[in-house]
Amino acid sequence: MILELDCGNSFIKWRVLGADLRLVVAEGVVDSDLALLESLNRLSDLMLKHCRLVSVRTGEETSALISLLNDAFGVSVVCAAPAREVSGVRNGYEDYEKLGLDRWLAMLGGFRLASGACLVLDFGTAVTADFIAGDGEHLGGFICPGMPLMRNQLRTHTRRIRYGDLAAERALESLVPGRTTVEAVERGCSLMLRGFVLTQLQLARSYWGEDFTVFLTGGDANLVCGVVPEARVVPDLVFVGLAMACPLP
């Protein structure tokens, strides 16, 4: 069995692969290292042989997690690292080590699945867009606040904006002009995301016409699916790239 981890700023996404690497035995999302251990310990017949992970956390935080995994399961851990080129995809950043590893792996996964030019849109705490040409050249990308950041900024800096997650979810059942503050905020932020997506599509078409694949990934990808009905929604796109960057024996 192989444990795969995507360690973001807020959450850890995990999954366990069986002997057949195409089979996901278990998966989940947790908010702490200890919660991860608890989730794994609840699995019956867990026999981990390998672990690979990608982390955008500090080196100290990542090392602490690796130590916990070593102590709990006696498994060695392989970490994704920055690279100038992997599997025909060439990092387009001037300083390739500065490109976020989660973005890099999503790009690798997208290029592998597309077998050609692609636009990778990731909707997490932040929203990212990356353009990979048909020859594997990364043309660059964009980063902007995602729904959590936009929502929290308005809540933090505007005293009268206070509402819970359930109200936010209900507000997004429609995109007509809001008649309450929660509707106005949630729908306004959602429309900003949709506008961002449309500008990325316009730019991609200026590069490649219609000959490219759009990938949507990240927790809020469902908010923009209607804008790009032809897009491929791949929640585990980072894990596709992780397997490419960290092949195991």
Side-chain angles (χ1 to χ4, degrees):
M1 290 182 170
I2 296 176
L3 173 63
E4 296 185 324
L5 303 174
D6 177 4
C7 305
N9 292 305
S10 303
F11 299 99
I12 299 173
K13 186 175 183 180
W14 64 271
R15 72 178 189 177
V16 176
L17 304 180
D20 180 349
L21 298 184
R22 294 169 297 180
L23 177 63
V24 177
V25 175
E27 60 186 339
V29 179
V30 293
D31 59 3
S32 69
D33 296 355
L34 293 179
L36 172 64
L37 292 186
E38 291 173 359
S39 296
L40 294 174
N41 285 325
R42 284 196 293 267
L43 299 178
S44 59
D45 301 322
L46 180 66
M47 299 180 63
L48 295 179
K49 291 187 176 181
H50 303 285
C51 174
R52 55 190 171 203
L53 68 79
V54 56
S55 176
V56 297
R57 299 179 169 193
T58 66
E60 292 77 9
E61 291 171 323
T62 303
S63 295
L65 175 56
I66 291 173
S67 295
L68 281 176
L69 294 170
N70 284 332
D71 294 342
F73 304 106
V75 64
S76 61
V77 180
V78 179
C79 298
R84 174 60 72 188
E85 181 173 347
V86 172
S87 298
V89 180
R90 293 179 295 282
N91 192 317
Y93 260 30
E94 294 178 359
D95 182 351
Y96 72 90
E97 294 184 342
K98 299 296 186 183
L99 177 65
L101 280 172
D102 50 349
R103 284 175 64 195
W104 174 235
L105 296 186
M107 288 161 45
L108 295 181
F111 188 74
R112 166 68 62 84
L113 296 178
S115 299
C118 58
L119 167 61
V120 177
L121 300 169
D122 191 339
F123 299 87
T125 303
V127 173
T128 61
D130 284 288
F131 298 79
I132 305 92
D135 63 357
E137 188 70 30
H138 174 220
L139 305 181
F142 299 97
I143 304 173
C144 72
M147 282 292 284
L149 286 177
M150 288 192 286
R151 179 187 296 126
N152 290 337
Q153 282 295 305
L154 285 168
R155 285 175 171 173
T156 299
H157 296 287
T158 308
R159 292 182 180 180
R160 291 175 179 262
I161 296 180
R162 296 288 185 273
Y163 54 85
D165 292 337
L166 180 58
E169 184 178 342
R170 289 175 176 170
L172 288 173
E173 293 174 355
S174 168
L175 287 178
V176 300
R179 296 172 66 90
T180 65
T181 298
V182 61
E183 290 177 352
V185 169
E186 291 297 314
R187 295 172 188 178
C189 291
S190 180
L191 289 172
M192 288 187 71
L193 285 190
R194 289 170 172 242
F196 176 81
V197 170
L198 291 174
T199 61
Q200 306 313 299
L201 291 173
Q202 184 178 24
L203 182 54
R205 289 183 180 118
S206 75
Y207 289 145
W208 308 308
E210 298 296 331
D211 189 18
F212 65 97
T213 304
V214 182
F215 291 97
L216 304 180
T217 191
D220 284 328
N222 62 300
L223 296 179
V224 299
C225 289
V227 180
V228 204
E230 72 277 14
R232 296 178 61 178
V233 180
V234 186
D236 292 332
L237 193 58
V238 167
F239 285 140
V240 176
L242 180 61
M244 297 166 62
C246 301
L248 296 171

